[in-house]
Amino acid sequence: MPRVSQDQLDARRHEILSASRTCFARFGYNGATVHRLEEATGMSRGAIFHHFRDKEHLFLAVAEDDAATMAETVARNGLVQVMRDLLERAGNSEGDTAGWLGTQLEVAHRRRTDPAFAKRWAQRSAAIADATRERLQRQREAGVLREDVPVEVLTQFLELAYDGLVLHLATGRPAGELAAVLGVVEEAVRRH
């Protein structure tokens, strides 16, 4: 029997995550049946669940992958840049953006309706808040950030703006002047 390399396993896992993200976004967690996941990935349930213990773990892996990518971007460029990137991708109608937005809404729904999921997810979402807080603290130390508002309040302000943007885009509303709105959000946290 031929051996499969780690690179091949990683590539297969990435394919499953990408196709599953779209499936979860389109049908929601409950509607993304194993049959639909098989259709979306073009793989058998055995191939899918070789990489993930069950549908719950597959969904968590999709959401964790999104959260890790977001935390990296926040640490490097800030949450406003994450919002600008998201707005740009949504304007270009990139297929993965719709899936990513749908996954975010599904995470929010599951946090609200599934206490066990909410408890597990709290650790993952803390990484994004920590990255935002640390980035803001560095900005404050560099003299770029306003000093009259505590960093924790600015963190929550930016998280609220982000959540609103995700909801706006995920529900299919037009972007309109959102680029200008993000300019206002950015100016609100800057030192004058």
Side-chain angles (χ1 to χ4, degrees):
M1 175 179 270
R3 295 192 61 118
V4 178
S5 74
Q6 188 60 48
D7 287 344
Q8 290 170 314
L9 288 172
D10 291 346
R12 174 67 53 97
R13 186 177 193 280
H14 178 74
E15 288 174 34
I16 293 168
L17 287 174
S18 182
S20 297
R21 176 179 291 108
T22 303
C23 189
F24 285 126
R26 182 170 182 203
F27 299 107
Y29 178 81
N30 291 328
T33 62
V34 173
H35 179 73
R36 284 181 170 156
L37 289 166
E38 287 174 317
E39 288 178 344
T41 61
M43 298 177 201
S44 69
R45 69 184 62 214
I48 295 168
F49 297 119
H50 169 75
H51 294 272
F52 305 94
R53 185 167 59 188
D54 54 25
K55 187 172 94 168
E56 170 87 10
H57 284 84
L58 174 58
F59 180 76
L60 274 171
V62 167
E64 286 173 347
D65 187 53
D66 291 346
T69 300
M70 185 175 159
E72 289 170 14
T73 303
V74 169
R76 193 173 50 252
N77 301 314
L79 190 54
V80 173
Q81 188 59 49
V82 169
M83 290 186 266
R84 289 188 193 286
D85 292 348
L86 178 58
L87 185 58
E88 181 180 329
R89 287 194 323 259
N92 292 335
S93 300
E94 291 183 17
D96 203 36
T97 301
W100 185 85
L101 288 167
T103 300
Q104 297 302 301
L105 289 181
E106 189 62 30
V107 165
H109 170 74
R110 300 223 32 233
R111 286 177 66 186
R112 193 180 72 252
T113 60
D114 181 346
F117 179 85
K119 186 175 180 180
R120 285 190 306 273
W121 188 253
Q123 298 166 341
R124 289 149 180 100
S125 62
I128 296 168
D130 290 345
T132 301
R133 204 171 6 268
E134 290 166 10
R135 167 82 176 172
L136 289 172
Q137 190 58 48
R138 287 193 310 271
Q139 293 290 81
R140 178 165 282 166
E141 291 166 3
V144 176
L145 196 68
R146 62 189 297 171
E147 294 184 5
D148 61 325
V149 178
V151 167
E152 187 59 39
V153 172
L154 294 175
T155 300
Q156 289 181 350
F157 170 71
L158 291 176
E159 289 172 343
L160 183 63
Y162 169 80
D163 290 344
L165 178 65
V166 168
L167 179 62
H168 184 96
L169 295 174
T171 56
R173 296 190 321 206
E177 297 298 318
L178 289 178
V181 170
L182 292 180
V184 172
V185 169
E186 190 167 34
E187 279 301 309
V189 299
R190 292 208 178 265
R191 185 180 201 166
H192 297 283

